[in-house]
Amino acid sequence: MGALQVIQDLLSLTKALLNPYDRLSWFAILRAPWLGLTTSDLHAIAQFGGDNSVWKKISRWHEIPNLSQNGTERLERFVNNIAYSMEVRYRTPLRELIETTWSLLRGSAAIETNRETACVNLYFDLLTTHEYAGGLNNLEQFQELVFDSFIPAQQQNSIKDTEIPVQLLTMHKAKGLEFDHVIIPGLANRSRSDDKPLFAWHERLNSKGQARLFFAALSATGSEEDSLYALLRHEKEHQTLLENTRLLYIAITRARRSVKLFATVGLSNKNQLLISPNSLLGGIWRELERERNGLNIVSLKSLIEATAQQKQVAKNKLPSPTPIRRFQTLQKLDDAELKHLAELNQQSDSEDHNSYEQESNLTARIGEIIHQELEDYTNSEEKKSYLNSLSEKRAYWSLLLLNVADSKQELTDSLEMITESIQKTLGDEDLNWIFDNNQKECQSELSISSLHKGKIQNHVIDRTFIDEDNVRWIIDYKSSRPKGDESEFIRDQTNKHEEQLRRYKRLFEAMEDRTIKMAFVLTAIPKLVEIKSRQ
């Protein structure tokens, strides 16, 4: 299956949507039949936008210089089609993301055989099986799995395959198999038995049926060869030749239609072939000479001259152009497709989505990192050493952000923002009590389920505990950054998250009877903002 172009295109589409920085995959889908950009257009895109991701470059398609008119028209429609997928990636099931995108790009129109249809369905099944949090836990492992996958036997029987597969096997591995044509090269190569080992041994039975071991060592250089060593070596060579001849017979009989045997041998001063008796060719040469009509002996000199002549001819010719397999026109999204994609990007029926989930993927990933670090710090027994080790975690954060940042500068700015937010928040003495794990019933990332209108809803509370005054605190972490006046930023964040915290409060009020206070921590400032209870 891995050799099918339609699967290569689907795999490239998957890798591109999961990682805007995967240049090879992005250029592969720009070349695929659903878009089919020319080499010159691909070069124009590569030269535009510096080190930005390919997605960010083509998002500004109207600014790309030297892009052909046809390429501009195609790229515009392609960007409009795939923009929805980039918005909802990691927030919708991976199979639905890839299958929907592939359908919108009219990928099914490139399918020509039943085999390709079966492979596409199997690929989507693999996505379902190996999906992890809207992506793939191990992309390299998944790619190897795709390359090693095959069409189920019941589907293979009903498919007419016009391809000619070639398999490279040793003679040992070919046992029990059959092929239309068999090619066996290197028949004149000497076996390893031509080399003199340091020791030689052989076990055989004597006249009484008792096992005896014969052992001899290689004689010193310049001295006469030990007779026992020579005998044992001769028997080993003969045994190896017989075994190799048996394997050659097995290899030849694997063919249904034809066998081609190749060998390269030297010539003596008398222009006779020099064939080693310890080679595969030596074992069958007598029989081959009887069938001289089937032999084709060509001098190595003539082969070298012919090859050199072909290379010279090739130099004088311009390279053949690479044919582009692409649709003549790209279709725009119809109303039904636009409606479906809009639904994918809408907030789900659950009321418990944090606000950063509705923002960009980068902002969401930054929030996840900060949340995780605050939780790890709270659970840490050595808080001082934990703070000192933050700088060592930047490489790990960089890996988490790499797929969602559009440029190296954006990645660098995000890492600085994460580091600064965590250091400021954890370094603020007024906030230390929030991360004290000695508080009563303290929990981080507390999961609670509730039933609302017949549906189960899952809620995750960043931090909760009971203080020394027997007051339950419900605290949420918010990683948004102020873009203007700080007081206005706090007011906006309060309006944005107040209902979420009140919902958490109602959950606890249904479980316990005590005073409950709500607040959220703005990690970028940093500041604790308490939500007052309604009278």
Side-chain angles (χ1 to χ4, degrees):
M1 184 181 77
L4 292 177
Q5 187 58 50
V6 65
I7 299 301
Q8 294 279 12
D9 292 338
L10 272 172
L11 182 60
S12 296
L13 179 63
T14 304
K15 294 165 64 178
L17 289 181
L18 294 180
N19 185 1
Y21 273 96
D22 190 339
R23 288 172 57 88
L24 182 60
S25 296
W26 272 98
F27 282 115
I29 67 175
L30 295 180
R31 183 72 165 188
W34 49 63
L35 181 56
L37 291 183
T38 63
T39 303
S40 59
D41 285 338
L42 293 178
H43 180 71
I45 295 172
Q47 296 298 312
F48 173 71
D51 61 0
N52 288 327
S53 66
V54 178
W55 166 243
K56 191 165 186 178
K57 291 180 179 183
I58 64 176
S59 298
R60 298 158 54 195
W61 54 267
H62 53 283
E63 301 178 17
I64 301 178
N66 302 322
L67 197 63
S68 68
Q69 180 63 30
N70 181 264
T72 301
E73 294 174 357
R74 288 175 171 270
L75 196 57
E76 177 185 5
R77 295 188 180 184
F78 174 81
V79 169
N80 292 335
N81 287 359
I82 208 170
Y84 290 95
S85 302
M86 291 300 293
E87 290 178 11
V88 301
R89 63 196 183 101
Y90 292 110
R91 301 200 325 242
T92 192
L94 183 59
R95 173 172 181 158
E96 183 176 349
L97 175 72
I98 303 303
E99 194 168 7
T100 301
T101 307
W102 187 68
S103 298
L104 292 172
L105 295 174
R106 307 300 188 252
S108 57
I111 293 180
E112 296 180 342
T113 66
N114 291 335
R115 182 189 181 200
E116 290 180 340
T117 301
C119 287
V120 167
N121 292 332
L122 179 55
Y123 181 84
F124 289 140
D125 290 341
L126 290 176
L127 286 179
T128 302
T129 303
H130 297 276
E131 176 187 355
Y132 179 80
L136 293 168
N137 192 32
N138 190 323
L139 185 55
E140 291 185 3
Q141 185 178 5
F142 178 78
Q143 180 170 289
E144 291 178 3
L145 177 65
V146 170
F147 289 157
D148 294 339
S149 296
F150 57 91
I151 304 174
Q154 63 270 23
Q155 297 177 4
Q156 275 187 335
N157 294 335
S158 62
I159 294 172
K160 295 181 180 179
D161 189 1
T162 58
E163 296 180 5
I164 304 177
V166 177
Q167 296 188 44
L168 298 179
L169 299 173
T170 63
M171 291 190 291
H172 284 281
K173 290 290 183 68
K175 290 181 180 179
L177 303 177
E178 284 189 339
F179 306 92
D180 289 334
H181 308 280
V182 172
I183 300 174
I184 306 176
L187 290 183
N189 296 344
R190 297 190 311 169
S191 65
R192 292 184 179 179
S193 60
D194 284 349
D195 300 328
K196 291 185 177 181
L198 182 60
F199 297 105
W201 62 87
H202 183 69
E203 185 176 1
R204 66 191 313 173
L205 300 179
N206 62 13
S207 59
K208 297 181 181 181
Q210 298 172 329
R212 290 292 183 265
L213 178 66
F214 292 87
F215 188 90
L218 177 66
S219 301
T221 303
S223 60
E224 185 178 352
E225 187 176 40
D226 181 75
S227 58
L228 178 59
Y229 180 88
L231 174 63
L232 295 179
R233 185 164 175 263
H234 172 74
E235 288 201 359
K236 179 65 175 178
E237 290 175 354
H238 187 64
Q239 180 183 5
T240 301
L241 181 59
L242 291 177
E243 173 62 17
N244 289 343
T245 304
R246 184 184 71 85
L247 287 174
L248 179 60
Y249 168 79
I250 293 175
I252 292 175
T253 56
R254 298 308 90 201
R256 298 191 189 100
R257 299 182 182 179
S258 69
V259 178
K260 292 189 181 297
L261 307 178
F262 291 88
T264 303
V265 300
L267 291 174
S268 67
N269 294 332
K270 297 181 180 181
N271 225 23
Q272 295 179 338
L273 299 179
L274 297 176
I275 300 174
S276 171
N278 293 328
S279 65
L280 290 175
L281 183 61
I284 62 174
W285 181 245
R286 184 189 309 171
E287 286 72 20
L288 290 178
E289 278 193 306
R290 296 173 184 171
E291 302 290 339
R292 274 193 171 271
N293 292 334
L295 291 177
N296 182 19
I297 301 177
V298 182
S299 69
L300 187 60
K301 181 180 180 181
S302 63
L303 287 177
I304 294 175
E305 290 176 351
T307 302
Q309 186 177 3
Q310 291 175 357
K311 288 183 177 179
Q312 186 62 38
V313 172
K315 284 183 179 179
N316 297 333
K317 289 184 177 180
L318 294 174
S320 301
T322 303
I324 301 178
R325 182 167 173 255
R326 64 179 185 177
F327 304 150
Q328 290 185 355
T329 59
L330 296 183
Q331 299 182 13
K332 295 183 178 180
L333 303 182
D334 56 35
D335 294 339
E337 291 167 336
L338 286 170
K339 181 180 178 181
H340 175 68
L341 287 177
E343 290 174 353
L344 289 179
N345 203 19
Q346 288 177 353
Q347 183 176 0
S348 70
D349 292 335
S350 173
E351 298 179 3
D352 191 37
H353 277 194
N354 288 333
S355 61
Y356 64 80
E357 291 180 339
Q358 302 305 315
E359 299 174 354
S360 69
N361 288 312
L362 176 61
T363 304
R365 191 65 57 83
I366 290 173
E368 292 169 4
I369 294 174
I370 293 177
H371 275 66
Q372 185 61 54
E373 293 301 332
L374 294 181
E375 180 185 0
D376 291 346
Y377 174 79
T378 303
N379 297 330
S380 173
E381 296 182 357
E382 299 293 334
K383 289 183 167 50
K384 185 175 182 180
S385 60
Y386 186 90
L387 286 173
N388 294 334
S389 66
L390 280 179
S391 59
E392 301 173 1
K393 296 190 174 186
R394 287 176 64 95
Y396 173 66
W397 299 341
S398 180
L399 290 176
L400 296 178
L401 296 174
L402 190 59
N403 291 352
V404 290
D406 285 333
S407 66
K408 292 182 179 179
Q409 185 60 48
E410 191 172 49
L411 177 62
T412 301
D413 293 343
S414 299
L415 292 173
E416 292 297 331
M417 182 261 188
I418 292 172
T419 304
E420 183 180 354
S421 295
I422 295 174
Q423 288 177 341
K424 284 184 176 180
T425 301
L426 300 182
D428 193 325
E429 295 182 357
D430 293 335
L431 301 179
N432 286 347
W433 63 280
I434 297 175
F435 310 105
D436 184 1
N437 236 8
N438 294 320
Q439 302 272 20
K440 184 180 177 181
E441 294 187 19
C442 58
Q443 288 180 292
S444 298
E445 300 298 319
L446 174 63
S447 297
I448 301 178
S449 297
S450 64
L451 189 65
H452 179 71
K453 296 181 180 179
K455 294 183 179 181
I456 296 178
Q457 295 183 341
N458 297 316
H459 315 267
V460 179
I461 299 175
D462 295 339
R463 181 71 173 153
T464 182
F465 52 82
I466 299 174
D467 65 14
E468 57 186 11
D469 296 325
N470 198 35
V471 174
R472 162 75 66 182
W473 280 89
I474 301 174
I475 299 176
D476 226 27
Y477 305 139
K478 302 301 177 184
S479 56
S480 299
R481 290 176 288 181
K483 297 180 180 180
D485 181 68
E486 184 175 303
S487 58
E488 184 178 349
F489 169 68
I490 295 175
R491 184 167 55 254
D492 290 341
Q493 291 296 304
T494 301
N495 294 334
K496 194 173 184 180
H497 304 298
E498 180 178 356
E499 183 54 37
Q500 176 189 357
L501 287 165
R502 294 194 184 281
R503 185 166 60 252
Y504 293 162
K505 181 183 179 183
R506 290 194 292 271
L507 293 174
F508 278 100
E509 286 176 338
M511 295 186 291
E512 61 185 17
D513 183 18
R514 63 163 48 90
T515 302
I516 299 177
K517 292 187 177 182
M518 308 161 289
F520 57 85
V521 175
L522 296 172
T523 59
I525 301 180
K527 189 176 184 63
L528 178 70
V529 180
E530 183 177 351
I531 304 296
K532 299 299 182 181
S533 299
R534 293 170 180 168
Q535 300 298 327

